[in-house]
Amino acid sequence: MAPTSDTDDRNDAVSSNPFTEETTATKKQRLNSSTGTLTSPAPSSSDTSEDSAHATQLPTLPFEIMVEILSRLPVNFLMQLQSVCKSWKSLISDPNFAKKHFRLSTTRHHLLITYTNPSREFVLTAYPLSSRFTELTATTATQLEYPLINRNRFDQIVDSCHGILCFALDQRFALLWNPSIRKFTKLPSLDNPKLKGSYTIYGFGYTHFSDSYKVVAVYCYESDGSYKTQVKVHTLGTNAWRKIQDFPSGVPFDDSGKFVGGTINWLASRDSFFSCVIVSLDLEKESYQDLLQPDYGEVVVLTISLGVLRECLCILSHSDTFSDVWLMKEYGNKDSWTKLFHVPYMGDLGSCPYTKVLYVYEDDKILLECHSGLVVLVVYNARDSTFKTHEIQNNGWMVPQIYQESLVSPCS
């Protein structure tokens, strides 16, 4: 699928980026499609003459060892290394190398903060996350350049998958963008009617069996006094949205679906807003199922929110004075729900302040999003039951999202 060419968008981020140009070495790269592994390209006369100077200056390494070394390097360094020689550019730009690199870079997570400032500029700031928590300060922040010039106030981030961020654009479009490699694709319009009270909730994920990325749009509209749904799916690499089976249980009320292991999951209202169910969509089969919630015991649960932690489905359940973090360690198995953390409320934030669990550090610290007038980030240390708040300097409504740096392209 070719990226769209809106005049207002910076499509030269795709079309003229030197890292997207096809080279002779790229054409000669041979991939083992059955195993998804890389094989060393046979040198041609042109490559030999051009790369001979490098060969005399650098020690010769077996191809397999070179792949292992490069696949453990940060993305920004690899982008620079593509300029070393044709064979390195061919290797680093190969989709199978991108997959291998992503599998080995599980610790390179980033916290993305988005908000619109008073000048209506869309501001995106990324902070690195590591096993040892560091301050979220200007010295650790990286300003990202949003690929679209005109940003509507109704645009919002949906989710991230394999380093690709999905944005919903004014309920009509979706944008897929990998900020690490500065490539993006704007999907076609949904062409849903603009009815009073209608809205669209998105989900974004990956299916391993067919090796494809899919964006799901659940269009909710009022008809005869009740809400109905229409669900469409866009598979990356195609040119259109497809209708699939309608949403099976009421309507979703999450901001977006949560991607876990080939499925997208929503909280949905069935009989009323206070009666909710977890609806799961299998991206490969494009079929739905309901997931059972944890056994909360005698705790009176007021509300719950859905999330993802450690590649598992997560529930943040709220009571009067505390929240519990639950993890479904085996997807689809009700008995695998495990209470991971018990988090008391901070006195100065009031009741039910936690809206999302963003990240779990290796030292049993958890990063939470809180709503107390404005959005506040809180780190809770489960080992000594202490809190640390972090106020990000901004003048707008802040939306946090975790993403992982990668070489995976949204343009295929």
Side-chain angles (χ1 to χ4, degrees), residues 267-296:
L267 282 178
S269 59
R270 177 164 283 167
D271 301 323
S272 67
F273 182 81
F274 298 100
S275 175
C276 63
V277 62
I278 303 174
V279 177
S280 170
L281 171 65
D282 187 304
L283 286 176
E284 184 64 39
K285 300 176 182 178
E286 296 183 352
S287 60
Y288 303 91
Q289 67 169 324
D290 288 353
L291 298 181
L292 296 177
Q293 298 180 35
D295 181 0
Y296 301 112

Side-chain angles (χ1 to χ4, degrees), residues 38-177:
L38 291 159
T39 58
S40 179
S44 66
S45 58
S46 60
D47 285 343
T48 302
S49 60
E50 181 173 333
D51 295 345
S52 59
H54 298 282
T56 59
Q57 299 173 16
L58 299 175
T60 301
L61 291 175
F63 181 76
E64 293 77 10
I65 295 179
M66 183 178 67
V67 171
E68 291 300 320
I69 294 174
L70 294 178
S71 61
R72 286 164 171 79
L73 298 179
V75 171
N76 58 348
F77 192 33
L78 289 172
M79 298 299 283
Q80 299 176 42
L81 290 180
Q82 287 190 109
S83 303
V84 171
C85 61
K86 282 187 176 181
S87 59
W88 281 25
K89 181 175 183 178
S90 176
L91 170 64
I92 295 170
S93 61
D94 187 272
N96 278 334
F97 178 80
K99 294 176 185 177
K100 179 180 180 67
H101 176 270
F102 182 80
R103 291 195 303 269
L104 297 176
S105 63
T106 55
T107 59
R108 299 190 183 109
H109 290 84
H110 299 265
L111 170 66
L112 178 68
I113 303 294
T114 65
Y115 66 93
T116 304
N117 65 17
S119 301
R120 300 189 61 81
E121 296 174 321
F122 194 36
V123 181
L124 301 98
T125 308
Y127 300 86
L129 297 175
S130 62
S131 58
R132 190 171 75 175
F133 182 73
T134 57
E135 296 287 340
L136 301 180
T137 63
T139 57
T140 63
T142 301
Q143 295 296 320
L144 303 181
E145 186 176 2
Y146 192 59
L148 304 184
I149 296 176
N150 289 340
R151 191 265 178 185
N152 189 287
R153 65 188 178 93
F154 296 111
D155 295 354
Q156 63 178 2
I157 190 166
V158 174
D159 205 351
S160 66
C161 177
H162 298 178
I164 302 174
L165 299 171
C166 179
F167 287 82
L169 311 180
D170 194 23
Q171 302 293 312
R172 297 180 296 123
F173 299 94
L175 172 75
L176 300 181
W177 172 43

Side-chain angles (χ1 to χ4, degrees), residues 327-360:
L327 212 64
M328 181 179 260
K329 292 188 173 182
E330 181 184 344
Y331 185 82
N333 182 0
K334 177 186 182 297
D335 296 331
S336 71
W337 280 113
T338 303
K339 187 188 296 186
L340 197 63
F341 295 106
H342 175 87
V343 188
Y345 292 152
M346 296 177 61
D348 56 345
L349 290 180
S351 62
C352 298
Y354 309 127
T355 54
K356 188 187 300 183
V357 184
L358 296 169
Y359 191 72
V360 178

Side-chain angles (χ1 to χ4, degrees), residues 22-40:
E22 187 177 28
T23 65
T24 303
T26 305
K27 295 178 181 179
K28 289 185 293 184
Q29 181 70 44
R30 295 293 180 253
L31 304 178
N32 187 329
S33 58
S34 61
T35 62
T37 58
L38 291 159
T39 58
S40 179

Side-chain angles (χ1 to χ4, degrees), residues 306-318:
L306 210 58
V308 178
L309 286 178
R310 295 175 178 170
E311 299 183 351
C312 295
L313 194 65
C314 164
I315 282 181
L316 186 63
S317 61
H318 311 285

Side-chain angles (χ1 to χ4, degrees), residues 227-248:
Y227 269 92
K228 297 182 179 180
T229 64
Q230 182 184 87
V231 184
K232 294 181 180 180
V233 172
H234 183 97
T235 303
L236 188 60
T238 64
N239 296 317
W241 293 86
R242 295 180 292 105
K243 288 185 180 180
I244 64 170
Q245 177 187 345
D246 290 345
F247 206 75

